[in-house]
Amino acid sequence: MIRVAQWKYERERMVKEQIIPRGVEDVRVIEAMTAVPRHLFVDTSYQHQAYNDYPLPIGHGQTISQPYMVAAMTELLELKGTEKVLEIGTGSGYQTAILAFLCDRVYSIERISALTTQVRQTLKRLGLKNANLMVGDGSIGWAEYAPYDGIIVTAGAPEIPNALIAQLAEKGRLVIPVGDEFSQILNVVKKHKGRIYRQEHFGCTFVPLVGKEGWDK
Ligand code: SAM
């Protein structure tokens, strides 16, 4: 049985060895990564690997993203604390918890209902009350609460879904992996005076975004 102090040590090691040396500088993101207990978002059989430098299985053929990827994508959202953020692909709920730590309100969509059920319990256990979860096709966004100051897609899309661009607020930022089913490039889309600006960042590999504006499976 690993004690609380040991998990804290593991988190600090993860941040020191995997997050900061790769260039993540946002102090609030570093604080969130140091605070959120990642081991609670994986099955007990994987907890001893929770702070290692790779993704892990979460069942249903899905994964919890590598810690660095979570930190880097979150940093690209440039959150200050007042934002409303939409997440597509709740998965384990770890990224959701990081967002809940860093912004005012999170809306997160997952297509696999069993994952959402688990995440509700974990977020409740952690006392994170500013995240709303929905089961559905996130490739078409969540129009009811739009526009969003930030949108983060944690699954690989063939193209940037038009629905997500439409649901992005003025001055908002959309972070999304775009490419084929095996590798993608992380894109950041910004909306300024109604115009769309798109920047490509680094390569990544995500499970596919499956849905109306994603992959057809
Ligand atoms: N942020 C998550 C984490 O760290 O645990 C990442 C989870 S995994 C890489 C991506 C998730 O996207 C999977 O759980 C998958 O079921 C979900 N997904 C794929 N297509 C989706 C869609 N159209 N709508 C909602 N969720 C989707």
Side-chain angles (χ1 to χ4, degrees):
M1 177 103 150
I2 303 181
R3 297 218 313 262
V4 173
Q6 176 71 18
W7 291 127
K8 184 168 177 282
Y9 171 80
E10 290 285 325
R11 270 197 300 286
E12 287 169 357
R13 183 186 58 81
M14 171 189 82
V15 168
K16 212 167 101 188
E17 293 178 4
Q18 302 167 35
I19 311 295
I20 294 173
R22 289 193 179 112
V24 173
E25 290 179 342
D26 186 325
V27 176
R28 297 180 69 245
V29 173
I30 290 169
E31 199 188 347
M33 299 294 294
T34 309
V36 175
R38 181 173 162 93
H39 62 280
L40 298 183
F41 294 86
V42 296
D43 185 79
T44 46
S45 59
Y46 285 108
Q47 284 191 335
H48 63 292
Q49 298 180 63
Y51 297 97
N52 291 354
D53 195 13
Y54 43 76
L56 288 170
I58 54 170
H60 312 275
Q62 307 304 324
T63 53
I64 177 173
S65 303
Q66 177 198 27
Y68 165 68
M69 193 54 68
V70 174
M73 288 176 79
T74 307
E75 185 172 54
L76 288 170
L77 286 172
E78 296 187 1
L79 300 173
K80 304 288 180 255
T82 55
E83 299 84 356
K84 181 167 56 164
V85 175
L86 175 67
E87 177 192 25
I88 313 302
T90 316
S92 68
Y94 176 63
Q95 172 80 74
T96 319
I98 296 286
L99 294 170
F101 198 91
L102 290 171
C103 70
D104 183 49
R105 184 143 289 278
V106 185
Y107 294 87
S108 184
I109 312 177
E110 170 57 55
R111 56 188 283 273
I112 300 170
S113 63
L115 290 174
T116 305
T117 304
Q118 179 65 45
V119 173
R120 279 191 210 287
Q121 289 171 13
T122 313
L123 295 182
K124 193 172 173 196
R125 178 174 170 187
L126 293 175
L128 291 170
K129 295 183 180 150
N130 59 338
N132 294 27
L133 308 182
M134 178 176 90
V135 177
D137 177 9
S139 74
I140 55 168
W142 193 343
E144 191 181 350
Y145 297 103
Y148 301 96
D149 306 303
I151 301 179
I152 180 168
V153 182
T154 66
E159 283 168 30
I160 299 173
N162 289 321
L164 299 187
I165 293 175
Q167 290 174 28
L168 193 62
E170 172 64 20
K171 295 193 180 154
R173 298 168 74 87
L174 161 63
V175 178
I176 178 168
V178 182
D180 61 30
E181 286 176 83
F182 307 103
S183 70
Q184 304 90 34
I185 305 278
L186 201 62
N187 279 244
V188 176
V189 176
K190 297 180 204 170
K191 198 183 262 188
H192 187 60
K193 294 188 178 163
R195 292 188 63 178
I196 298 303
Y197 300 87
R198 178 175 171 173
Q199 271 180 342
E200 290 191 344
H201 287 256
F202 46 87
C204 51
T205 303
F206 278 85
V207 296
L209 179 76
V210 177
K212 192 168 172 216
E213 290 210 45
W215 295 97
D216 187 14
K217 288 262 164 130

